[in-house]
Amino acid sequence: MGFFKRKNRFPTEDINRGEVLITNDEIIIKNNSYESDDEIIKIKSIEYIYLETSDYSEPSMFIYQGRQYYIPGDYVGTERLWKHLSELFNFDMDIVYAHLQDRKNAIYKLYRTTYTKNYSITSTNANDYLEGFEVQSPTPLFIPWNTTKEDLLKCPYISSDSFYLDITYPVRIGNIIIDNLGTYINDVRSDVSPQNYYAKCFATDGSDKSLYELKNKIEQDLGSKASYSFNDDGNLFFYAKSNDITLEISYSNDDNDCRTIAYSFSSLHISTCYEYPNLLNDTDYMDKLELSNTFIFKYPLSTPTNYHRDDRIKHTPEIIQKHSKGKSIIWIDNANNILGFADNEYAIWFDRMEIDSLTLWNMLPAKGGGFCNLSVNLNTGESVTVFEGEHDTLKHQLEELEKFLSIKVTFYEDYNC
């Protein structure tokens, strides 16, 4: 009998570490061992509860309510909290007692909420997955995937805070209705379409059933119009890929070894790859470009390519390609007061009056790989990356570069931790 009492015992409470208070509708966490505000959990809004054990610390309660909360087992009031929540959420305290003394990295699921299913499979026979989505407004509106940001923002069924764009009605994608489709637009230029749309798809039990239902319907409807891949080794990833559109669905499972607790939904991600070659041409400048002086690098460097985000990125002018013979180059154009940066394919140039200084980062390999990056700092406070390359390359030409530009280049070096 004494053995079981010892096995079931919570860690010794330590008021110096922290304490937990319970009210009718809140849990208040006081972290006394370090300076922080009290953390407050709304009990009625708790989504899931786990026991976490570790090989280097006391067991703790993991609660998700809008964000992650960890309550160490040695906080004053922890055992009372466990028992209180087990009664409210009907989970088995025997699971907690059985693993309190574990000295291994592990997680034990005690409670997961149920959800309102937020997607449905229609009985229609639509097959326009690759063309766009239909807003299920009183008068349905079909929006092609290649609709530009500018035109999306004109739509009456769109709301945006300039960072994220929401469709205010459910949408139909093929034969699937989803109620929370949206896209990030803060780094998308107005004259191109967003490259990514997102939605969270919940099954009622928060399980991977959502992924399999969506996967099966997409495969059935698209058939040979797309190629497919599916990974079910641990986490689940499904791809249906066509020329311009990729439909991706992922569902993360709990990882016991890493003590990783997954969300309870399938992520639907629609990515587009529309190209706008006309946006890469600037004939106004290319027709009058003059080379006053050039600096050709000894090492291969790349100019950023994401012109969907940055309207400064253009094709490298032919005169620059011929002069650089495929190498990375900086050119000065005194006639037009331009300073330009280019590899063999892409270029960025600035009016010299815009430029305040340059910054060179040399990141040495550590946990992450090494790299270097050269940025132009504008008078507006904006910083624009113009070259990227391997570490320990650009720094060898730093002195030559400053002399050529007659502009200050601030040099930083650090480890990529």
Side-chain angles (χ1 to χ4, degrees):
M1 192 67 181
F3 169 79
F4 287 105
K5 283 183 178 179
R6 286 195 301 275
K7 185 175 178 59
N8 294 348
R9 186 181 300 155
F10 270 76
T12 301
E13 294 181 346
D14 184 351
I15 190 64
N16 295 316
R17 289 263 295 144
E19 60 183 316
V20 183
L21 305 176
I22 308 168
T23 70
N24 288 335
D25 55 1
E26 291 181 340
I27 301 166
I28 302 168
I29 308 168
K30 295 180 175 291
N31 302 297
N32 298 336
S33 60
Y34 57 92
E35 187 175 334
S36 75
D37 294 332
D38 292 350
E39 298 180 276
I40 298 175
I41 301 172
K42 301 292 184 182
I43 293 176
K44 290 182 179 179
S45 300
I46 288 175
E47 294 182 51
Y48 39 89
I49 304 169
Y50 279 71
L51 166 67
E52 287 200 4
T53 62
S54 168
D55 60 1
Y56 61 86
S57 65
E58 298 289 0
S60 59
M61 177 186 287
F62 172 93
I63 296 178
Y64 190 88
Q65 187 266 294
R67 69 172 181 85
Q68 299 175 347
Y69 295 87
Y70 290 90
I71 306 174
D74 59 353
Y75 277 23
V76 172
T78 303
E79 183 172 9
R80 177 170 169 261
L81 174 64
W82 279 101
K83 291 177 178 178
H84 180 68
L85 293 182
S86 72
E87 293 174 3
L88 287 178
F89 293 97
N90 196 32
F91 61 77
D92 189 353
M93 276 297 292
D94 285 343
I95 297 174
V96 178
Y97 288 129
H99 298 286
L100 272 175
Q101 305 303 319
D102 288 1
R103 283 294 176 262
K104 62 180 181 179
N105 295 328
I107 52 177
Y108 302 93
K109 182 172 69 175
L110 301 169
Y111 167 78
R112 282 263 192 174
T113 190
T114 56
Y115 299 87
T116 300
K117 187 177 180 181
N118 70 335
Y119 67 92
S120 61
I121 308 297
T122 72
S123 57
T124 57
N125 195 29
N127 209 337
D128 50 8
Y129 290 87
L130 306 179
E131 297 168 30
F133 58 91
E134 183 181 68
V135 182
Q136 302 300 285
S137 48
T139 302
L141 174 66
F142 191 83
I143 299 179
W145 294 122
N146 63 357
T147 302
T148 64
K149 169 182 168 179
E150 181 179 22
D151 288 338
L152 277 172
L153 292 172
K154 294 176 183 176
C155 174
Y157 311 125
I158 296 292
S159 68
S160 172
D161 58 3
S162 299
F163 183 77
Y164 194 76
L165 181 150
D166 283 299
I167 294 94
T168 53
Y169 285 90
V171 303
R172 178 187 61 78
I173 302 174
N175 296 304
I176 301 168
I177 304 287
I178 295 171
D179 75 356
N180 63 352
L181 188 71
T183 178
Y184 294 96
I185 60 168
N186 59 307
D187 61 354
V188 179
R189 52 191 286 186
S190 62
D191 50 358
V192 303
S193 62
Q195 292 180 290
N196 302 281
Y197 284 87
Y198 304 93
K200 297 176 182 178
C201 301
F202 289 88
T204 54
D205 60 357
S207 72
D208 57 14
K209 179 181 178 182
S210 52
L211 179 139
Y212 285 103
E213 284 191 339
L214 297 173
K215 167 186 176 294
N216 293 342
K217 189 59 180 170
I218 290 170
E219 285 180 315
Q220 174 188 329
D221 291 347
L222 280 181
S224 61
K225 290 184 179 180
S227 58
Y228 307 96
S229 62
F230 181 52
N231 182 339
D232 61 354
D233 182 14
N235 296 322
L236 309 177
F237 296 94
F238 167 73
Y239 298 87
K241 182 175 177 56
S242 72
N243 290 332
D244 295 319
I245 305 296
T246 299
L247 301 168
E248 174 191 338
I249 310 170
S250 61
Y251 183 90
S252 296
N253 291 305
D254 295 342
D255 186 330
N256 199 56
D257 292 336
C258 296
R259 296 191 303 164
T260 301
I261 296 167
Y263 294 111
S264 298
F265 55 82
S266 292
S267 294
L268 173 64
H269 173 202
I270 299 100
S271 61
T272 71
C273 57
Y274 296 112
E275 298 296 339
Y276 303 84
N278 58 306
L279 299 180
L280 286 165
N281 298 319
D282 185 347
T283 53
D284 287 346
Y285 174 60
M286 291 180 183
D287 289 345
K288 62 184 180 182
L289 186 159
E290 293 185 20
L291 288 181
S292 305
N293 204 355
T294 61
F295 184 95
I296 297 177
F297 288 92
K298 299 174 184 176
Y299 307 95
L301 301 168
S302 299
T303 301
T305 64
N306 192 356
Y307 68 93
H308 294 82
R309 176 182 300 171
D310 187 349
D311 59 8
R312 293 180 182 274
I313 298 173
K314 304 295 180 183
H315 276 313
T316 301
E318 187 175 352
I319 187 174
I320 302 294
Q321 290 177 328
K322 289 180 178 177
H323 187 83
S324 67
K325 295 182 172 58
K327 294 185 177 181
S328 303
I329 184 173
I330 299 177
W331 78 91
I332 294 174
D333 178 348
N334 288 328
N336 297 291
N337 203 33
I338 293 293
L339 180 63
F341 306 80
D343 59 22
N344 197 45
E345 189 172 359
Y346 294 96
I348 304 178
W349 54 83
F350 306 84
D351 187 308
R352 296 191 73 175
M353 296 296 291
E354 295 180 273
I355 299 173
D356 176 68
S357 61
L358 278 77
T359 299
L360 170 59
W361 275 96
N362 189 51
M363 299 301 292
L364 301 170
K367 290 181 179 178
F371 64 91
C372 69
N373 126 2
L374 183 68
S375 299
V376 170
N377 306 311
L378 305 180
N379 296 322
T380 60
E382 180 187 5
S383 181
V384 182
T385 297
V386 292
F387 282 128
E388 297 172 334
E390 294 184 5
H391 68 95
D392 291 343
T393 54
L394 267 173
K395 76 175 187 179
H396 294 305
Q397 291 187 267
L398 179 58
E399 190 174 333
E400 298 171 66
L401 184 59
E402 280 195 309
K403 186 175 180 181
F404 169 78
L405 293 171
S406 298
I407 299 175
K408 178 175 176 57
V409 181
T410 303
F411 177 71
Y412 296 101
E413 188 166 69
D414 203 349
Y415 287 91
N416 188 8
C417 297

